[in-house]
Amino acid sequence: MQAERAEAGFWRQRSVLVTGGTGLLGSWLVRRLLMADADVVCFARTWPPRALVCATELLQRVKVVRADIRDQAAVARALGEYEIDTVFHVAAQAIVGEANRNPVPTFETNVQGTWGLLDACRHAPSVRQIVVASSDKAYGEQATLPYREGMALLGHHPYEASKACADMIATAYALSYDLPVAVTRCGNFFGGGDLNWNRIIPGTIRSLLKPEPPLVRSDGRYVRDYLYADDGAAAHMLLAHKLADDRRLAGEAFNFSYEVRLTVLELVERVARLLGSTLSPDVRNETMREIREQYLSTEKARQTLGWTPHYSMDDALRHTIEWYRGYLAAEKGDTRTT
């Protein structure tokens, strides 16, 4: 409890920039920062009406900069105009399938967007700490699992490679220019507000609530671990706070996940159990160019940062199910377009 009060006190009236503030992680991060009384600036290319933060009363407390993350001049203006103290860089093209289909926009957003932001931060005197969201995908296919932070980054396919590049660029700015930047590598995010129905958790929940068999595009045997977006937001805030207290963390990367290794079929079964459904999935076996097994060790984050998640995997899934239950019920009752 004392640690939580100290964490809340750290953020009070602190000027914070969140890139990608309308995305899944970004929305939860904005929400948590506002609850801690931070002064939040959202940098976002678009402001979709169904973004999680837009659906709450918190919207009135957010300053919005509508620009593309690739626009370095716009980033620099935002840093200076709002005298930003802390930066969370979570903007990305985050859809693996889209990255495979259209690699160039993915590289431009995830790689160019990162070096442009960091170089702007390098010239911004008010910026004191930066957290860059990488991904467990940056590790690529490793001979030994779980992923640990000391492993080489071996991302081969477009999304993996883009996150590996952004990750290494962050380290380069920390080591070459003494920039106070640290990196997160998280498991697959899930939580309310994610309306990308192609993702396994929202797609499964929506299907089972209809009710109809959930669609599994792979063979169901791919192994992943996961992290509730609210726990992800808290982890990013913890790392920024620790970085403010200890500049030796600059250039370091930290893994965050529940360390619950699940095949896609096991995940679908778990969601079905929580919903009381007996429907079997429709397994298509269509997925290509994805790594078979990916899961993380969070030992470094636990030991160095004192990190522990706020939720268990099942509790996080229950919260997520309830969000979608409410959202889909409201959508069914409201046929207006947004």
Side-chain angles (χ1 to χ4, degrees):
M1 184 65 69
Q2 185 175 357
E4 290 184 1
R5 285 197 297 268
E7 177 78 7
F10 174 81
W11 294 107
R12 190 165 297 120
Q13 297 183 342
R14 190 173 293 266
S15 184
V16 180
L17 178 68
V18 179
T19 71
T22 58
L24 176 58
L25 175 60
S27 290
W28 284 95
L29 183 54
V30 166
R31 184 184 183 91
R32 186 169 274 274
L33 284 165
L34 289 174
M35 290 174 64
D37 291 325
D39 185 8
V40 179
V41 179
C42 265
F43 194 97
R45 184 180 61 185
T46 59
W47 195 253
R50 290 181 177 179
L52 177 64
V53 71
C54 299
T56 73
E57 71 283 358
L58 302 178
L59 175 61
Q60 299 175 359
R61 297 168 56 195
V62 177
K63 299 178 180 71
V64 181
V65 177
R66 298 193 187 186
D68 195 302
I69 190 61
R70 296 170 293 182
D71 186 345
Q72 188 176 3
V75 174
R77 284 196 300 271
L79 294 174
E81 181 178 348
Y82 295 105
E83 298 182 326
I84 297 297
D85 172 275
T86 303
V87 175
F88 292 100
H89 179 42
V90 300
Q93 192 301 98
I95 309 301
V96 175
E98 177 63 18
N100 288 335
R101 288 187 295 272
N102 296 295
V104 172
T106 298
F107 291 137
E108 289 176 341
T109 298
N110 296 357
V111 182
Q112 178 187 338
T114 298
W115 65 249
L117 170 81
L118 293 177
D119 209 59
C121 288
R122 181 164 71 99
H123 297 289
S126 63
V127 173
R128 297 181 181 276
Q129 46 272 331
I130 308 151
V131 175
V132 171
S134 180
S135 169
D136 59 347
K137 307 297 183 292
Y139 287 110
E141 194 159 8
Q142 300 280 346
T144 303
L145 292 171
Y147 294 142
R148 298 183 186 276
E149 290 85 348
M151 291 177 169
L153 302 182
L154 302 176
H156 291 157
H157 301 305
Y159 179 73
E160 303 159 17
S162 75
K163 298 307 283 188
C165 287
D167 197 311
M168 290 187 285
I169 287 168
T171 301
Y173 269 85
L175 301 181
S176 299
Y177 304 109
D178 197 30
L179 197 67
V181 55
V183 172
T184 64
R185 300 171 187 158
C186 298
N188 289 10
F189 286 117
F190 68 94
D194 184 3
L195 301 183
N196 183 351
W197 305 113
N198 287 328
R199 289 194 178 116
I200 188 63
I201 290 179
T204 296
I205 294 172
R206 184 177 70 161
S207 292
L208 292 175
L209 287 174
K210 281 188 175 180
E212 63 185 28
L215 181 64
V216 174
R217 290 175 174 79
S218 69
D219 61 5
R221 297 186 176 89
Y222 286 74
V223 176
R224 300 289 186 266
D225 60 4
Y226 297 85
L227 187 64
Y228 188 36
D230 192 34
D231 260 329
H236 281 71
M237 290 171 64
L238 173 65
L239 178 54
H241 189 175
K242 294 291 185 179
L243 181 60
D245 292 339
D246 186 358
R247 284 294 186 260
R248 293 174 297 178
L249 296 178
E252 294 289 327
F254 294 89
N255 295 338
F256 298 98
S257 81
Y258 288 133
E259 296 184 290
V260 178
R261 308 167 190 174
L262 296 171
T263 66
V264 174
L265 288 175
E266 287 171 339
L267 177 63
V268 170
E269 289 168 2
R270 186 174 289 216
V271 173
R273 173 174 55 79
L274 292 172
L275 279 166
S277 174
T278 58
L279 287 171
S280 298
D282 176 7
V283 180
R284 298 291 180 86
N285 195 18
E286 297 170 344
T287 300
M288 297 177 63
R289 295 192 297 276
E290 288 194 28
I291 297 166
R292 297 294 301 185
E293 295 191 14
Q294 295 181 303
Y295 48 89
L296 296 157
S297 167
T298 66
E299 180 180 3
K300 181 180 177 181
R302 293 176 186 274
Q303 292 188 354
T304 304
L305 306 177
W307 176 75
T308 56
H310 292 83
Y311 303 86
S312 68
M313 180 70 181
D314 276 359
D315 283 344
L317 284 172
R318 288 188 185 97
H319 283 286
T320 302
I321 288 167
E322 288 311 304
W323 189 94
Y324 284 108
R325 194 191 299 275
Y327 173 82
L328 293 170
E331 186 181 58
K332 187 177 181 180
D334 184 358
T335 58
R336 295 171 299 174
T337 58
T338 57

